[in-house]
Amino acid sequence: YKENPNYTTQVEEEFGLNIGLIGDLRINEYLNLRFEPGLHTNKGALKFNERSNFTQNSDTIRLIKSTYIHLPLLLKFSSKRIGNYKPYIIGGISYSFNLSSNENSPEDNKNNVFRLKNNTMYYELGFGIDFYLEYFKFSPQIIFNYGLNNLLIQDGTAYTTLIDQVKARSFVVALTFEG
């Protein structure tokens, strides 16, 4: 956010849903190369507390809905298997295409359309545990995604001039089932 003591902008976050597939190439006993394409949906809001630029209270909130095609390429570093479990860390890069970004929409915030850029790149880092069960492998994991590029489209309205940049960041709790 731009430095200005006369206003504050808050991000209201909500839960999303991620559904995907896993492609796994075992390099050796402790290292795997993984491709995990998926569809991610989420929504949130920006709440503008500075009132002089807005005539109604409802004007101070802009909803941001996103549906991403997410394409991560990750390295999974596993420990030695201990009984029926194996802890690991995972990290890499990913690319996402936002299907609902409104980047090319002629409408802007004057028409209640908050526009973001379509494409973003991320660093990803996480950890988890593989549990080897009788019929499948269950892997709960926690992943942190850090967006690298600014997604904000400046449209000259009070909504975008108050913000310096918007970067995507997420905290994901994933439950993976492998046969």
Side-chain angles (χ1 to χ4, degrees):
Y1 307 111
K2 291 184 179 176
E3 295 294 324
N4 187 335
N6 296 325
Y7 75 88
T8 59
T9 304
Q10 298 172 335
V11 176
E12 295 181 357
E13 301 166 346
E14 293 191 25
F15 290 103
L17 176 65
N18 305 333
I19 298 173
L21 302 171
I22 296 173
D24 187 85
L25 175 64
R26 185 175 177 169
I27 296 172
N28 63 36
E29 184 179 356
Y30 304 108
L31 184 62
N32 295 51
L33 179 64
R34 295 172 70 98
F35 178 60
E36 301 180 357
L39 182 69
H40 298 191
T41 63
N42 59 2
K43 67 179 181 174
L46 292 175
K47 185 176 181 182
F48 298 88
N49 293 330
E50 195 272 323
R51 302 280 188 247
S52 64
N53 288 319
F54 309 110
T55 57
Q56 299 176 23
N57 194 38
S58 62
D59 289 341
T60 63
I61 296 177
R62 280 294 177 257
L63 295 176
I64 301 173
K65 297 178 183 177
S66 300
T67 302
Y68 292 98
I69 295 175
H70 189 69
L71 305 168
L73 187 61
L74 307 168
L75 285 173
K76 179 179 175 182
F77 301 96
S78 301
S79 73
K80 186 173 182 176
R81 186 171 166 172
I82 305 165
N84 284 335
Y85 67 94
K86 182 169 37 170
Y88 62 88
I89 59 172
I90 193 164
I93 59 171
S94 62
Y95 167 82
S96 287
F97 180 78
N98 188 349
L99 298 171
S100 55
S101 71
N102 294 316
E103 179 176 8
N104 298 319
S105 174
E107 296 182 340
D108 59 16
N109 278 294
K110 294 174 188 170
N111 304 91
N112 279 343
V113 176
F114 195 88
R115 299 182 309 150
L116 296 173
K117 294 179 183 171
N118 289 337
N119 306 303
T120 189
M121 295 290 295
Y122 298 89
Y123 287 125
E124 296 198 21
L125 184 61
F127 61 92
I129 299 175
D130 288 334
F131 291 99
Y132 295 89
L133 304 171
E134 187 174 349
Y135 298 108
F136 61 92
K137 180 171 64 171
F138 172 62
S139 303
Q141 63 184 359
I142 294 176
I143 302 171
F144 302 95
N145 296 322
Y146 302 97
L148 300 175
N149 51 323
N150 182 10
L151 299 175
L152 183 65
I153 296 175
Q154 290 288 349
D155 61 10
T157 64
Y159 299 99
T160 59
T161 56
L162 294 174
I163 301 172
D164 186 36
Q165 64 181 346
V166 173
K167 290 191 175 185
R169 293 198 174 110
S170 64
F171 170 80
V172 178
V173 176
L175 305 174
T176 305
F177 300 89
E178 297 179 49

